[in-house]
Structures are given as C-alpha cells and as structure tokens.
Amino acid sequence: MDKFHEECGVAAIYGHPEASKLAYLALYALQHRGQESAGISTSDGELIHTKKSMGHVADIFTEPVLQELPGSLAIGHTRYSTAGDTVERNAQPFSVHCNKGRIAVAHNGNITNAAELRKDLESRGSIFQASSDTEVILHLVAHSREKTLAGALREALLQLEGAFSLVFLAQDRIIVARDPQGFRPLAMGQLEFSAGTPAYVFASETCAFDLINAVYMGDVQPGEMVIVGPEGISRDRYAPHRPLSQCVFEHVYFSRPDSIVFGRAVQESRENMGRYLAIESPADADIVVPVPDSGNAAAVGYSSESGLPYRQALIRNHYVGRTFIEPSQAIRDFGVKLKLNPVRSLLEGKSVILVDDSIVRGTTSRKIVRMVRNAGAREVHMRISCPPTISPCFYGVDTPNKSELIAANSTVEEIRRFIEADSLAYLSMNALQRCVADDRGEYCYACYTGNYPTDFVNIEQLVRAGKKAGG
Ligand code: AMP
C-alpha cells in the first residue's frame, strides 16, 4: 500500500507557447513522486515568473494561476520533503537574480555534502533563505568565476556529491543535468506543436510525456548536461565517468508502472519480481492478492508463475486526502480502513498470498494482515517483492532512521510474528538484480545491503539527520 509518498518529481519544457500548461500536465502525471508542495517557473525571455505552494498540483495550478506564468520555457517540481523542513519556503523551484542573470532550479535527489558546502558558502557571505539542500547549488553558481551560466553550473555540479537530477531555467534556455552515478532518473523527449518546430521536454518519468504527447528520446545520461537554447540543443559530459548507482527502488516502488525508467519498463521489472518471488517462495494457497497499488504488478507476476488466481480482494479508495475527520469514538485501524477495504466474498475460508512491495516499519503491514484475516481468510502468506529494507537512503528516498526499520533490527521470523502472518518471505538480492537485468552492477541497493556507493563527507551529520536526507 502506498502509505505516504516521498521524493520529488521534476519537469522542464523548452520552446512551447503553452510551456506552463505543459509543465502543469507533466507535474500532474508526476504527482505520485511528491504531494507536499508543487511549483512552476517560466521565462518570458526576460523575466522569470514563479508560482509555488503547498498542496497538490491540480489544486495549486488553476487557470488564473497558469495565466500568471507566461513564456515558452518552464520548469516544474513536485515535492515531498526529504531534506529541509516541511514549509512553503522550501517549495521549489528556487528562483534568484544573481551575477549570472535570472535563474531558477528544481531538484530531485539528495546532495550528501550539502551541509559542508553550505557551511563553507556561509563563511564566504552567502545568505540562505531555506533549509533545503538545493539552494546550495544556486549559491555555488553565483560564486563561480566562470562567465557563462553553463560554465558556472559545470563548476558547481563538480563540487556536489550524491544524487541529483536537476532542471535549470535561465532567461533564454533550459539546462538539465544528472549526477555522474545516475541515482535518480531524468528522461528526455520531444514534442511537435507546429510543423518542423520541436519543443523539448524533460521529466523524471516518461508517464509525463505520454500525457502531453511527447516522444521519449532516451535518458539524460549520468554525468551529462543538456542545454537547449536559441542555438539549438547540445549534450555534453561535464563529469568523468563513475560507476553507476541507479536507484533500484524506483523499479520496486517509486515510479509508475507505465513509465520507462533507466531505459526499462517498470511494469516488466515488477512482474519479474513477482515471478521470482513465486519461484523462490511458493506457498500452498488458493489466491494471490495484491496490496494496492504498490503490490499490483508483482502480484500479477506471482499469479502467472504459480498458476494461482489473481484476485483484487483489497479495494483501495483513491480519494483519501491529507486530513480526515475521525468520529469521536475512535475506530480501530481507522487510517488503514479509510484507504483499504477487504472483499469478504473473495477471502472467506481462503488461504491467501498477500503481495506488497516492502515492509518499512511493519505497522501498516500488520494492520493489513489483520484486516484480511478478519475478512475470513484462513491463512495469510505475506510475500515482499524486494529484500528486507535494512538501511536508510541518503539519496532522496524517505526511509526512516535505522532504529525504526523493522528489518534492521529483527529477523524475518520476528517480522513474520510482528505482522501476524502465517508465513513471510522476501525476494532475494540475486533475484532482484535479475529482475532489473542488472548484469553489470549498475544499480544502488544500499537500502537492502547497507553498502553506500558514495563516500559520505559527514556521515555523523547524515545519520543524525536520519531520514531528513533531498527532494
Ligand atoms: P509498513 O508495514 O508500516 O512498513 O508499511 C509498508 C507499506 O509502506 C507498504 O505497503 C509500502 O508500499 C509502503 N512503502 C514502502 N516503502 C515506502 C517508502 N519509502 N515510503 C513510504 N511508503 C513506503
């Protein structure tokens, strides 16, 4: 089940008369990547206009608001706080007027040496307005002695460690970049709005392109900077090659199954996970039931491999908002019941395989197991489509501190008992690697292994920050 969403989504549009509308639609398709705040900046060739606010994309960007975002260039952001506090001043894009002109930036990922860079910048006179790590980039750009924005950006990016997929807006150009390890995705597309004049679009996931009829042209490469301006498009490596560390959790949970992420269909990865799970951990059961929506695709894979019927025996209410009014007489497990309700006729007397993507704290999973049992299931066998989550992410995924991660502190048998399942099994690391066809070790699995693919500049700080690690 999608307990809450985290991370961020970014988008950029170049060369379309309705850039703000396209950015809005792209963000609408990326809403699952962050629901706390959203923002769009546009350039009319001279001025940069920004509208950002707490809340959902469709609520913030009404017709009158979009009309205040003129221009044919736009960048956008949807945010769930993983670095910085939950306040409006941290909403992105950040926009400044500095010695390199007017610029705005939006960021997905987490810069692991942001605290150090910030301390250094503050000692040199920089004044920060927000607590998010993204602002550091703008200050590095402003401090650079390079004359051009692209040159200053290159210099800034080379000082960053960690995860960043970035979209920048200048008066007359869009510049996008990915960190050299490629932690977070960034796809590139093209859109034809009048004969022969292509508009370029960039987005965290390709599902954003589908909505605006853009054609996916591949990914911005790790360590690559793409500039689109009046002189056309240029692609340029700004950093030396590093081993890749693409986030496997994008395929496990984050991204939409209709997206292509790191050049792979997410749906295919997830079905593979279910298939391998069925091979590695079969169960003597009657039906396979996904925890919607996060377990849907893996349950399809499990069902087809095991030959057991797939049944949607948990129904999700898709319209659950941020706040809801609970009756004064508290209802047990109210939060989960609001989101999910069992189909008793499918579950009664059945031995059930319940498929979900992960167990983080274990509390939601326990409620769901209880719910299925209370609806009449005879046995509940929990299957998780990735290995146990044992370590927090420092690259932009909102995982809690190690102390709150149940698998960091308990054996699988202890977790099984905690969630009150008859059996519990996770996908193996080996299988996960195969599910995303990672023959060359190009993914990051740190949340499952504790092996982090970057040197932390200030590990204590990061640990103290715990989950407050990007955007
Ligand atoms: P729990 O049993 O409380 O650990 O919650 C597990 C549920 O949280 C699963 O249904 C997951 O889909 C969902 N989930 C997994 N990873 C995350 C994450 N990083 N952030 C939020 N929810 C997540």
Side-chain angles (χ1 to χ4, degrees), residues 1-3 249 251-254 270 273 277 291 293-296 298 354-360 382-389 426-427 448:
M1 183 177 81
D2 312 81
K3 193 172 43 175
F249 203 51
H251 277 266
V252 170
Y253 171 83
F254 269 158
R270 285 192 194 158
M273 291 168 201
L277 201 48
V291 176
D293 289 325
S294 48
N296 289 357
L354 208 52
V355 180
D356 203 356
D357 70 290
S358 14
I359 299 178
V360 183
M382 187 70 139
R383 295 292 178 269
I384 301 297
S385 63
C386 64
T389 307
Y426 289 86
L427 188 68
Y448 308 124

Side-chain angles (χ1 to χ4, degrees), residues 46 48 96-104 141 149 169-171:
E46 209 171 301
I48 286 182
V96 290
H97 188 184
C98 68
N99 53 0
K100 308 292 181 304
R102 295 176 205 274
I103 45 175
V141 168
L149 175 60
L169 172 70
Q171 280 152 304

Side-chain angles (χ1 to χ4, degrees), residues 28 45 66 103 158 187 195 197 233 257 280 285 300 329-330 348 366 369 375 385 389 392 450:
Y28 190 76
L66 286 171
I103 45 175
L158 284 169
T197 332
I233 183 165
E280 291 184 334
V300 167
Q329 192 81 44
E348 222 146 34
R366 172 155 74 173
V369 172
S385 63
T389 307

